[in-house]
Structure formats: C-alpha cells, structure tokens
Amino acid sequence: KLKSAVTKSQQKIDQINQMHTLATKEIGKMGKRDLWFLGIGLYLGEGCKHNETTSIANSNPDIILIAIKWFKEICEVETKNFKARLHIYPDNDEKKSIEYWSLITGIPKNQFSKTQVDRRTNKSNKKIGRIPYGTMHLNVKSLGNKKYGKMLHRRIAGWSNAAIEKITSNAGVV
C-alpha cells in the first residue's frame, strides 16, 4: 500500500510539472496588453465595485503583486498612492503581518491603516493557520490627483464593461 501511495504521489507531481511546462509554452511571452487584460479580470474578481473606491483584496501575495504591477504600469499609480489595510484573524500576529506585506509589496508601513481583526465567534475554525498573514486590501488614494480617485474607478469600470460587452457579443473575440 505504501509503495502504491508513493508511486501515485510521484505521478501527480510529474503531471503537475508537465502541465506547468506546457502552460508556460502555451502562454508564451506576455506584453503590456496582456497585463492590461489580466488586471481587468483580476479587478472583476477581486476589486471593489461600489462607492467608487479603487481597491483589490486577496490573501495571496502573488495576486497582490500582480495588482500592484497592473496599477503601476497600466494605471500609472505611484507607490505613495497606495494605502494598505489588513484583515487578520486572532491567530495572526499583527506586527508580523504588516512587516510581511510591507516587505513583499514595497509599501511603507506608514501607508498601512488600522488592521481589522476578525473576532467573530460563529465562524468556522477551518481557516486557522491557513492564512498566516491575513488578507491585504490594496487601496488607491488620489492624494489630490483627480486621475486616481473616482476617475480611476470609473476608468476601470469602463474597461471592464467594454471587455465584457465585446466578449459576450463575440465582436472582440477572434
């Protein structure tokens, strides 16, 4: 039984590696337009769609890093315009979480606002230890520059709506 389990486990690892290699070849090089559309999709899934707030939240650092790259390279947002907020659970260390996200993102600690600690007692314990640094909410603040406030939110909504319209009408699909 143990030998069979080891063999199956190795087969799974080999298949995952094969699919990763294949996927890398299929995707090929990615340019600025690819990043633009990846960011729109990311915003549709993880972004704030109300109150004209420009924000993406996720617990996966890779997703947050893609969002930062998208905001900087496509939306022309500067690091000083980012405001970060963490949502953590009682088993998370707030100070370590802020240090982690600041190091990963390059956003200075003084641009982190008050951390929200989820103390609800009616929640499942399934997430204990599974989100070691909490969820980061990456917000874009205008800081007096009108192109980053409501206008950026409206611009992203425009891109999202246009992409959805083109794809659902098949006019933009070749």
Side-chain angles (χ1 to χ4, degrees):
K1 262 188 165 178
L2 181 59
K3 188 175 180 181
S4 174
V6 169
T7 301
K8 284 185 179 188
S9 177
Q10 187 58 51
Q11 286 174 340
K12 178 181 176 182
I13 291 167
D14 291 344
Q15 288 173 349
I16 289 169
N17 289 336
Q18 287 172 347
M19 290 301 105
H20 181 265
T21 300
L22 177 62
T24 301
K25 287 179 186 174
E26 288 173 332
I27 293 212
K29 285 188 173 185
M30 291 188 70
K32 192 168 184 174
R33 186 167 171 85
D34 298 304
L35 176 61
W36 185 26
F37 281 105
L38 180 61
I40 291 169
L42 180 59
Y43 204 89
L44 282 168
E46 304 295 338
C48 181
K49 289 119 186 133
H50 62 281
N51 298 335
E52 295 191 320
T53 300
T54 307
S55 164
I56 290 180
N58 206 283
S59 61
N60 182 333
D62 291 331
I63 299 298
I64 295 297
L65 289 174
I66 291 168
I68 290 171
K69 184 175 183 74
W70 182 67
F71 280 129
K72 285 183 171 184
E73 293 184 20
I74 303 299
C75 304
E76 302 173 339
V77 173
E78 298 176 47
T79 301
K80 70 180 182 181
N81 293 91
F82 290 124
K83 189 81 168 175
R85 181 176 56 81
L86 300 184
H87 178 111
I88 62 174
Y89 295 93
D91 64 309
N92 298 125
D93 181 307
E94 181 179 6
K95 186 177 178 187
K96 283 183 183 177
S97 296
I98 291 171
E99 286 175 9
Y100 171 81
W101 285 109
S102 179
L103 180 66
I104 291 291
T105 63
I107 297 172
K109 291 178 197 172
N110 67 350
Q111 288 177 226
F112 281 70
S113 58
K114 186 173 171 32
T115 300
Q116 179 184 354
V117 181
D118 192 334
R119 299 193 189 281
R120 291 178 286 179
T121 55
N122 62 342
K123 293 224 15 164
S124 161
N125 288 333
K126 290 179 185 175
K127 290 189 179 180
I128 290 178
R130 295 191 65 198
I131 304 177
Y133 301 104
T135 300
M136 181 172 173
H137 294 252
L138 178 68
N139 299 291
V140 177
K141 298 297 182 184
S142 67
L143 302 180
N145 187 334
K146 291 183 180 183
K147 80 176 193 177
Y148 295 142
K150 292 177 183 177
M151 291 306 292
L152 179 58
H153 186 271
R154 292 171 183 168
R155 187 174 182 201
I156 293 168
W159 291 339
S160 301
N161 293 335
I164 289 168
E165 287 170 12
K166 286 184 179 279
I167 290 171
T168 56
S169 72
N170 288 325
V173 180
V174 282

